[in-house]
Amino acid sequence: MAKEKIELVIPTIRRLPTYLYKLKLLSSDGIETISTVQLAKMCALNPIVVKKDIAHTKVKGKPKVGHNVNEIIAAIEEFLGWHNRSDAFIVGMGDLGKALTKYSGFDNYGLRIIAGFDSDQSLVGGSIGGVKVFDIDELHGLISRLKIEMLILTVPAKVAQKIAEIAVSAGVRGIWNFTPTKLHLPDNIIVQKVDIAAELAVLSAKLFHSSEEEQSE
Amino acid sequence: MAKEKIELVIPTIRRLPTYLYKLKLLSSDGIETISTVQLAKMCALNPIVVKKDIAHTKVKGKPKVGHNVNEIIAAIEEFLGWHNRSDAFIVGMGDLGKALTKYSGFDNYGLRIIAGFDSDQSLVGGSIGGVKVFDIDELHGLISRLKIEMLILTVPAKVAQKIAEIAVSAGVRGIWNFTPTKLHLPDNIIVQKVDIAAELAVLSAKLFHSSEEEQSE
DNA sequence: TAGATTGTTAATCGATTAACAATC
DNA sequence: TAGATTGTTAATCGATTAACAATC
């Protein structure tokens, strides 16, 4: 019963989907085994990084042969919890909400958006990308009824905190926050923020300071 | 002439916009000085982190008094290159492109989207959020004519590499890549990728492994 | 066996955190 | 002066990188 504690190394976790993508291509090409060095080359990454990352998933390989492709795929999906597809709701069907709802790539990430919510009555009752849109008032009830654990938040900044609290009170445990609002929620709630300002800051700073370096020209 | 080399600490850069936001609120409230400890409290961050981050921008404070609010604002904006607004193009006016184009927050980040591009002729000639949409064929010419340095890429994955190459050949130096495609471009081109799969992986892994820990209940 | 690759242990590097001296 | 805060230098921590032993 004493489950071994798994260490979550964030940089490693972020790289796993890249491996998964390449490995699935290999698998569909009928390739059965691959070494970490080969995989590293395909992903344009340092071989040592890849070796450590793969080891992190506890998958075992064979010296001289490498790893079984399908076994790594299974190990990564297991590690990320993508082996069982999880259902999510999305709240806020503006342009961003629409874009994410229509995005077909989530299939590969163990995620399925099964309903959308909005307060705009002209959207309620309709559907976007095959996903039905419900009134925001039904959010609490449907989360608890369907035992939804993950919420994608694409509402206006002003109402983000309020919606998040409603969702959490109904049983949501993880929130993917695409709004600029920093959410204040209990510690056991997992929030992943897509921080547009932070990303742009990195791009701007690199761009700005690289141009200074190249003044010699 | 020997310009001091500026070290780019990515985690620090990512936090700067948070400070900037809070400081601007203070400034508009007429508050003139603030200590790093107070600022840290406002941002719910470790005071030592904030002290180091602010020091990084080279702004000087006064012992016992703290920093001048407007001086930190200026220092951060200078550091990020946000003191001079830079013009950007956005390519791909699907839902995501629309969402970003309509997003008003970029005003605060020294960024202005001044034109959109798409291959869909039903969009060309129109405008979205006050931004005119041009035919993709005009991308190269307009980049070089207007000396655009930053491109926001929201096209389908398939054409991302091709569009990026066209933009780079026309003079673009930084690309904000919202597509799932890993771009292969010259080393001096700065690419910031919004990696949806990586973000979701972190959320999934945390969610999945936290639920294992709480099995006791 | 020989050698490539795994798996693990050690070394390096960089960011965070802590400690303390300088100063208004 | 006394004390709060800055600014800088040192210690810790964690991820990356390197080295090497184990093994098919």
Side-chain angles (χ1 to χ4, degrees):
Chain A
M1 186 114 282
K3 200 144 197 157
E4 52 186 320
K5 199 182 158 200
I6 291 167
E7 215 187 331
L8 295 182
V9 181
I10 305 299
T12 291
I13 295 171
R14 293 182 58 92
R15 284 185 293 261
L16 291 179
T18 307
Y19 308 144
L20 194 57
Y21 176 76
K22 293 289 183 187
L23 290 165
K24 282 188 174 175
L25 291 180
L26 289 174
S27 178
S28 68
D29 283 351
I31 308 225
E32 289 183 357
T33 58
I34 191 171
S35 74
T36 53
V37 178
Q38 287 172 292
L39 183 58
K41 194 168 284 177
M42 291 177 64
C43 300
L45 287 169
N46 181 335
I48 305 173
V49 168
V50 178
K51 199 170 33 159
K52 261 278 165 83
D53 288 347
I54 297 301
H56 207 90
T57 66
K58 310 282 190 207
V59 71
K60 299 295 171 190
K62 281 182 189 166
K64 175 122 186 176
V65 178
H67 289 81
N68 178 290
V69 171
N70 289 322
E71 278 179 18
I72 319 187
I73 291 175
I76 293 177
E77 289 188 331
E78 167 86 20
F79 188 88
L80 296 175
W82 289 359
H83 53 311
N84 292 321
R85 180 155 280 101
S86 63
D87 294 335
F89 283 173
I90 184 166
V91 189
M93 303 309 282
D95 292 303
L96 181 57
K98 277 184 207 162
L100 290 170
T101 305
K102 290 181 186 171
Y103 180 54
S104 59
F106 291 138
D107 284 344
N108 298 314
Y109 310 152
L111 186 71
R112 189 172 53 174
I113 298 175
I114 60 166
F117 295 82
D118 207 293
S119 58
D120 182 346
Q121 295 305 315
S122 70
L123 293 170
V124 171
S127 81
I128 287 164
V131 173
K132 269 201 173 178
V133 179
F134 296 86
D135 189 292
I136 192 80
D137 289 341
E138 298 190 56
L139 181 64
H140 189 284
L142 284 170
I143 287 172
S144 53
R145 176 132 42 100
L146 298 177
K147 299 198 192 314
I148 297 298
E149 298 201 318
M150 198 187 295
L151 191 80
I152 303 172
L153 202 58
T154 50
V155 297
K158 277 187 180 180
V159 298
Q161 177 68 33
K162 199 185 79 188
I163 301 291
E165 284 171 13
I166 291 170
V168 167
S169 75
V172 155
R173 298 197 309 115
I175 295 179
W176 202 0
N177 180 18
F178 283 82
T179 80
T181 305
K182 186 180 160 95
L183 301 175
H184 299 276
L185 297 168
D187 285 347
N188 62 325
I189 304 302
I190 295 160
V191 178
Q192 184 73 11
K193 188 176 188 321
V194 176
D195 197 336
I196 282 292
E199 306 256 0
L200 179 56
V202 174
L203 179 56
S204 303
K206 284 183 179 174
L207 203 51
F208 181 54
H209 290 109
S210 81
S211 70
E212 283 188 341
E213 276 172 37
E214 291 163 25
Q215 278 177 340
S216 47
E217 199 193 2
Chain B
M1 187 112 280
K3 200 144 199 159
E4 52 186 320
K5 199 181 159 200
I6 292 167
E7 215 188 330
L8 295 182
V9 181
I10 305 299
T12 290
I13 295 171
R14 294 182 58 92
R15 284 186 294 261
L16 291 179
T18 307
Y19 308 144
L20 194 57
Y21 176 75
K22 294 287 183 187
L23 290 165
K24 282 188 174 175
L25 291 180
L26 289 174
S27 178
S28 68
D29 283 351
I31 307 219
E32 288 183 357
T33 59
I34 191 169
S35 73
T36 53
V37 178
Q38 287 172 293
L39 182 58
K41 196 168 284 177
M42 291 178 64
C43 300
L45 287 170
N46 181 336
I48 305 174
V49 167
V50 177
K51 198 166 43 155
K52 260 279 164 85
D53 288 347
I54 297 301
H56 206 90
T57 67
K58 310 284 189 205
V59 71
K60 299 295 170 189
K62 280 180 190 167
K64 175 120 187 181
V65 178
H67 290 81
N68 178 289
V69 171
N70 289 321
E71 278 178 18
I72 319 186
I73 291 175
I76 293 177
E77 290 188 331
E78 167 86 20
F79 189 88
L80 296 176
W82 289 359
H83 53 310
N84 292 322
R85 180 155 279 101
S86 63
D87 294 334
F89 283 173
I90 184 166
V91 189
M93 302 310 281
D95 292 304
L96 180 57
K98 276 184 207 161
L100 290 170
T101 304
K102 290 180 185 171
Y103 180 54
S104 58
F106 291 137
D107 283 344
N108 298 314
Y109 310 151
L111 186 71
R112 189 172 54 174
I113 298 175
I114 60 167
F117 294 82
D118 207 294
S119 57
D120 182 348
Q121 294 305 314
S122 70
L123 293 170
V124 172
S127 81
I128 288 164
V131 173
K132 268 201 173 177
V133 180
F134 296 87
D135 190 292
I136 191 80
D137 289 341
E138 297 190 56
L139 181 64
H140 189 283
L142 284 169
I143 287 172
S144 53
R145 177 128 45 98
L146 298 176
K147 301 201 192 314
I148 298 298
E149 299 201 318
M150 197 187 296
L151 192 82
I152 302 172
L153 202 59
T154 50
V155 297
K158 277 186 179 178
V159 299
Q161 177 68 33
K162 200 185 79 186
I163 302 291
E165 284 171 11
I166 290 171
V168 167
S169 75
V172 155
R173 297 197 308 116
I175 295 179
W176 203 359
N177 180 18
F178 283 82
T179 79
T181 306
K182 187 179 159 97
L183 301 174
H184 298 276
L185 297 168
D187 284 346
N188 63 324
I189 303 301
I190 294 160
V191 178
Q192 184 73 10
K193 188 175 188 320
V194 176
D195 197 336
I196 283 292
E199 306 256 0
L200 179 56
V202 174
L203 179 56
S204 304
K206 284 182 179 175
L207 204 50
F208 181 55
H209 291 109
S210 82
S211 70
E212 283 188 341
E213 277 172 36
E214 290 164 25
Q215 277 177 340
S216 47
E217 197 193 4

mmCIF file with all atom_site columns, all heavy atoms in Angstrom, chain A residues 118-126 133-137:
data_model
loop_
_atom_site.group_PDB
_atom_site.id
_atom_site.type_symbol
_atom_site.label_atom_id
_atom_site.label_alt_id
_atom_site.label_comp_id
_atom_site.label_asym_id
_atom_site.label_entity_id
_atom_site.label_seq_id
_atom_site.pdbx_PDB_ins_code
_atom_site.Cartn_x
_atom_site.Cartn_y
_atom_site.Cartn_z
_atom_site.occupancy
_atom_site.B_iso_or_equiv
_atom_site.pdbx_formal_charge
_atom_site.auth_seq_id
_atom_site.auth_comp_id
_atom_site.auth_asym_id
_atom_site.auth_atom_id
_atom_site.pdbx_PDB_model_num
ATOM 1   N N   . ASP A 1 118 ? -21.428 29.735 -21.006 1.00 0.00 ? 118 ASP A N   1
ATOM 2   C CA  . ASP A 1 118 ? -21.321 31.170 -21.239 1.00 0.00 ? 118 ASP A CA  1
ATOM 3   C C   . ASP A 1 118 ? -22.563 31.834 -20.659 1.00 0.00 ? 118 ASP A C   1
ATOM 4   O O   . ASP A 1 118 ? -23.579 31.185 -20.422 1.00 0.00 ? 118 ASP A O   1
ATOM 5   C CB  . ASP A 1 118 ? -21.185 31.472 -22.738 1.00 0.00 ? 118 ASP A CB  1
ATOM 6   C CG  . ASP A 1 118 ? -20.443 32.778 -22.977 1.00 0.00 ? 118 ASP A CG  1
ATOM 7   O OD1 . ASP A 1 118 ? -20.995 33.849 -22.612 1.00 0.00 ? 118 ASP A OD1 1
ATOM 8   O OD2 . ASP A 1 118 ? -19.320 32.748 -23.516 1.00 0.00 ? 118 ASP A OD2 1
ATOM 9   N N   . SER A 1 119 ? -22.457 33.136 -20.415 1.00 0.00 ? 119 SER A N   1
ATOM 10  C CA  . SER A 1 119 ? -23.629 33.850 -19.918 1.00 0.00 ? 119 SER A CA  1
ATOM 11  C C   . SER A 1 119 ? -24.404 34.483 -21.075 1.00 0.00 ? 119 SER A C   1
ATOM 12  O O   . SER A 1 119 ? -25.541 34.916 -20.911 1.00 0.00 ? 119 SER A O   1
ATOM 13  C CB  . SER A 1 119 ? -23.194 34.938 -18.924 1.00 0.00 ? 119 SER A CB  1
ATOM 14  O OG  . SER A 1 119 ? -22.304 35.819 -19.548 1.00 0.00 ? 119 SER A OG  1
ATOM 15  N N   . ASP A 1 120 ? -23.799 34.513 -22.239 1.00 0.00 ? 120 ASP A N   1
ATOM 16  C CA  . ASP A 1 120 ? -24.439 35.101 -23.423 1.00 0.00 ? 120 ASP A CA  1
ATOM 17  C C   . ASP A 1 120 ? -25.537 34.167 -23.933 1.00 0.00 ? 120 ASP A C   1
ATOM 18  O O   . ASP A 1 120 ? -25.256 33.081 -24.447 1.00 0.00 ? 120 ASP A O   1
ATOM 19  C CB  . ASP A 1 120 ? -23.368 35.324 -24.501 1.00 0.00 ? 120 ASP A CB  1
ATOM 20  C CG  . ASP A 1 120 ? -23.944 35.981 -25.745 1.00 0.00 ? 120 ASP A CG  1
ATOM 21  O OD1 . ASP A 1 120 ? -25.198 36.029 -25.892 1.00 0.00 ? 120 ASP A OD1 1
ATOM 22  O OD2 . ASP A 1 120 ? -23.155 36.437 -26.583 1.00 0.00 ? 120 ASP A OD2 1
ATOM 23  N N   . GLN A 1 121 ? -26.798 34.629 -23.797 1.00 0.00 ? 121 GLN A N   1
ATOM 24  C CA  . GLN A 1 121 ? -27.932 33.760 -24.141 1.00 0.00 ? 121 GLN A CA  1
ATOM 25  C C   . GLN A 1 121 ? -27.994 33.434 -25.630 1.00 0.00 ? 121 GLN A C   1
ATOM 26  O O   . GLN A 1 121 ? -28.646 32.472 -26.035 1.00 0.00 ? 121 GLN A O   1
ATOM 27  C CB  . GLN A 1 121 ? -29.249 34.403 -23.681 1.00 0.00 ? 121 GLN A CB  1
ATOM 28  C CG  . GLN A 1 121 ? -29.361 34.541 -22.162 1.00 0.00 ? 121 GLN A CG  1
ATOM 29  C CD  . GLN A 1 121 ? -29.175 33.217 -21.418 1.00 0.00 ? 121 GLN A CD  1
ATOM 30  O OE1 . GLN A 1 121 ? -29.747 32.186 -21.811 1.00 0.00 ? 121 GLN A OE1 1
ATOM 31  N NE2 . GLN A 1 121 ? -28.363 33.220 -20.369 1.00 0.00 ? 121 GLN A NE2 1
ATOM 32  N N   . SER A 1 122 ? -27.311 34.221 -26.450 1.00 0.00 ? 122 SER A N   1
ATOM 33  C CA  . SER A 1 122 ? -27.332 33.933 -27.881 1.00 0.00 ? 122 SER A CA  1
ATOM 34  C C   . SER A 1 122 ? -26.445 32.730 -28.210 1.00 0.00 ? 122 SER A C   1
ATOM 35  O O   . SER A 1 122 ? -26.543 32.129 -29.275 1.00 0.00 ? 122 SER A O   1
ATOM 36  C CB  . SER A 1 122 ? -26.864 35.157 -28.677 1.00 0.00 ? 122 SER A CB  1
ATOM 37  O OG  . SER A 1 122 ? -25.485 35.383 -28.486 1.00 0.00 ? 122 SER A OG  1
ATOM 38  N N   . LEU A 1 123 ? -25.577 32.369 -27.262 1.00 0.00 ? 123 LEU A N   1
ATOM 39  C CA  . LEU A 1 123 ? -24.721 31.199 -27.473 1.00 0.00 ? 123 LEU A CA  1
ATOM 40  C C   . LEU A 1 123 ? -25.306 29.948 -26.811 1.00 0.00 ? 123 LEU A C   1
ATOM 41  O O   . LEU A 1 123 ? -25.127 28.830 -27.304 1.00 0.00 ? 123 LEU A O   1
ATOM 42  C CB  . LEU A 1 123 ? -23.318 31.456 -26.891 1.00 0.00 ? 123 LEU A CB  1
ATOM 43  C CG  . LEU A 1 123 ? -22.476 32.525 -27.585 1.00 0.00 ? 123 LEU A CG  1
ATOM 44  C CD1 . LEU A 1 123 ? -21.235 32.833 -26.762 1.00 0.00 ? 123 LEU A CD1 1
ATOM 45  C CD2 . LEU A 1 123 ? -22.075 32.060 -28.984 1.00 0.00 ? 123 LEU A CD2 1
ATOM 46  N N   . VAL A 1 124 ? -25.990 30.169 -25.673 1.00 0.00 ? 124 VAL A N   1
ATOM 47  C CA  . VAL A 1 124 ? -26.541 29.054 -24.900 1.00 0.00 ? 124 VAL A CA  1
ATOM 48  C C   . VAL A 1 124 ? -27.527 28.244 -25.754 1.00 0.00 ? 124 VAL A C   1
ATOM 49  O O   . VAL A 1 124 ? -28.366 28.814 -26.436 1.00 0.00 ? 124 VAL A O   1
ATOM 50  C CB  . VAL A 1 124 ? -27.245 29.581 -23.626 1.00 0.00 ? 124 VAL A CB  1
ATOM 51  C CG1 . VAL A 1 124 ? -28.007 28.463 -22.920 1.00 0.00 ? 124 VAL A CG1 1
ATOM 52  C CG2 . VAL A 1 124 ? -26.228 30.223 -22.698 1.00 0.00 ? 124 VAL A CG2 1
ATOM 53  N N   . GLY A 1 125 ? -27.368 26.934 -25.688 1.00 0.00 ? 125 GLY A N   1
ATOM 54  C CA  . GLY A 1 125 ? -28.244 26.071 -26.473 1.00 0.00 ? 125 GLY A CA  1
ATOM 55  C C   . GLY A 1 125 ? -27.622 25.679 -27.801 1.00 0.00 ? 125 GLY A C   1
ATOM 56  O O   . GLY A 1 125 ? -27.985 24.664 -28.389 1.00 0.00 ? 125 GLY A O   1
ATOM 57  N N   . GLY A 1 126 ? -26.694 26.475 -28.260 1.00 0.00 ? 126 GLY A N   1
ATOM 58  C CA  . GLY A 1 126 ? -26.014 26.153 -29.503 1.00 0.00 ? 126 GLY A CA  1
ATOM 59  C C   . GLY A 1 126 ? -24.843 25.224 -29.255 1.00 0.00 ? 126 GLY A C   1
ATOM 60  O O   . GLY A 1 126 ? -24.703 24.658 -28.170 1.00 0.00 ? 126 GLY A O   1
ATOM 61  N N   . VAL A 1 133 ? -23.183 24.291 -25.696 1.00 0.00 ? 133 VAL A N   1
ATOM 62  C CA  . VAL A 1 133 ? -22.961 25.430 -24.799 1.00 0.00 ? 133 VAL A CA  1
ATOM 63  C C   . VAL A 1 133 ? -24.132 25.558 -23.833 1.00 0.00 ? 133 VAL A C   1
ATOM 64  O O   . VAL A 1 133 ? -25.292 25.615 -24.249 1.00 0.00 ? 133 VAL A O   1
ATOM 65  C CB  . VAL A 1 133 ? -22.807 26.738 -25.600 1.00 0.00 ? 133 VAL A CB  1
ATOM 66  C CG1 . VAL A 1 133 ? -22.594 27.907 -24.658 1.00 0.00 ? 133 VAL A CG1 1
ATOM 67  C CG2 . VAL A 1 133 ? -21.655 26.618 -26.597 1.00 0.00 ? 133 VAL A CG2 1
ATOM 68  N N   . PHE A 1 134 ? -23.813 25.589 -22.528 1.00 0.00 ? 134 PHE A N   1
ATOM 69  C CA  . PHE A 1 134 ? -24.825 25.702 -21.491 1.00 0.00 ? 134 PHE A CA  1
ATOM 70  C C   . PHE A 1 134 ? -24.767 27.069 -20.825 1.00 0.00 ? 134 PHE A C   1
ATOM 71  O O   . PHE A 1 134 ? -23.757 27.775 -20.918 1.00 0.00 ? 134 PHE A O   1
ATOM 72  C CB  . PHE A 1 134 ? -24.625 24.622 -20.426 1.00 0.00 ? 134 PHE A CB  1
ATOM 73  C CG  . PHE A 1 134 ? -24.800 23.223 -20.942 1.00 0.00 ? 134 PHE A CG  1
ATOM 74  C CD1 . PHE A 1 134 ? -23.728 22.550 -21.521 1.00 0.00 ? 134 PHE A CD1 1
ATOM 75  C CD2 . PHE A 1 134 ? -26.031 22.591 -20.868 1.00 0.00 ? 134 PHE A CD2 1
ATOM 76  C CE1 . PHE A 1 134 ? -23.891 21.258 -22.005 1.00 0.00 ? 134 PHE A CE1 1
ATOM 77  C CE2 . PHE A 1 134 ? -26.197 21.299 -21.347 1.00 0.00 ? 134 PHE A CE2 1
ATOM 78  C CZ  . PHE A 1 134 ? -25.124 20.637 -21.921 1.00 0.00 ? 134 PHE A CZ  1
ATOM 79  N N   . ASP A 1 135 ? -25.861 27.396 -20.134 1.00 0.00 ? 135 ASP A N   1
ATOM 80  C CA  . ASP A 1 135 ? -25.882 28.647 -19.378 1.00 0.00 ? 135 ASP A CA  1
ATOM 81  C C   . ASP A 1 135 ? -24.941 28.517 -18.181 1.00 0.00 ? 135 ASP A C   1
ATOM 82  O O   . ASP A 1 135 ? -24.846 27.464 -17.555 1.00 0.00 ? 135 ASP A O   1
ATOM 83  C CB  . ASP A 1 135 ? -27.302 28.943 -18.890 1.00 0.00 ? 135 ASP A CB  1
ATOM 84  C CG  . ASP A 1 135 ? -27.399 30.347 -18.301 1.00 0.00 ? 135 ASP A CG  1
ATOM 85  O OD1 . ASP A 1 135 ? -26.801 30.594 -17.231 1.00 0.00 ? 135 ASP A OD1 1
ATOM 86  O OD2 . ASP A 1 135 ? -28.059 31.199 -18.914 1.00 0.00 ? 135 ASP A OD2 1
ATOM 87  N N   . ILE A 1 136 ? -24.271 29.605 -17.899 1.00 0.00 ? 136 ILE A N   1
ATOM 88  C CA  . ILE A 1 136 ? -23.304 29.615 -16.800 1.00 0.00 ? 136 ILE A CA  1
ATOM 89  C C   . ILE A 1 136 ? -23.948 29.199 -15.473 1.00 0.00 ? 136 ILE A C   1
ATOM 90  O O   . ILE A 1 136 ? -23.278 28.627 -14.601 1.00 0.00 ? 136 ILE A O   1
ATOM 91  C CB  . ILE A 1 136 ? -22.678 31.037 -16.688 1.00 0.00 ? 136 ILE A CB  1
ATOM 92  C CG1 . ILE A 1 136 ? -21.472 31.051 -15.765 1.00 0.00 ? 136 ILE A CG1 1
ATOM 93  C CG2 . ILE A 1 136 ? -23.714 32.053 -16.263 1.00 0.00 ? 136 ILE A CG2 1
ATOM 94  C CD1 . ILE A 1 136 ? -20.232 30.557 -16.394 1.00 0.00 ? 136 ILE A CD1 1
ATOM 95  N N   . ASP A 1 137 ? -25.254 29.451 -15.349 1.00 0.00 ? 137 ASP A N   1
ATOM 96  C CA  . ASP A 1 137 ? -25.953 29.079 -14.112 1.00 0.00 ? 137 ASP A CA  1
ATOM 97  C C   . ASP A 1 137 ? -25.984 27.567 -13.876 1.00 0.00 ? 137 ASP A C   1
ATOM 98  O O   . ASP A 1 137 ? -26.186 27.108 -12.761 1.00 0.00 ? 137 ASP A O   1
ATOM 99  C CB  . ASP A 1 137 ? -27.396 29.603 -14.133 1.00 0.00 ? 137 ASP A CB  1
ATOM 100 C CG  . ASP A 1 137 ? -27.447 31.120 -13.995 1.00 0.00 ? 137 ASP A CG  1
ATOM 101 O OD1 . ASP A 1 137 ? -26.428 31.688 -13.536 1.00 0.00 ? 137 ASP A OD1 1
ATOM 102 O OD2 . ASP A 1 137 ? -28.470 31.720 -14.348 1.00 0.00 ? 137 ASP A OD2 1
#
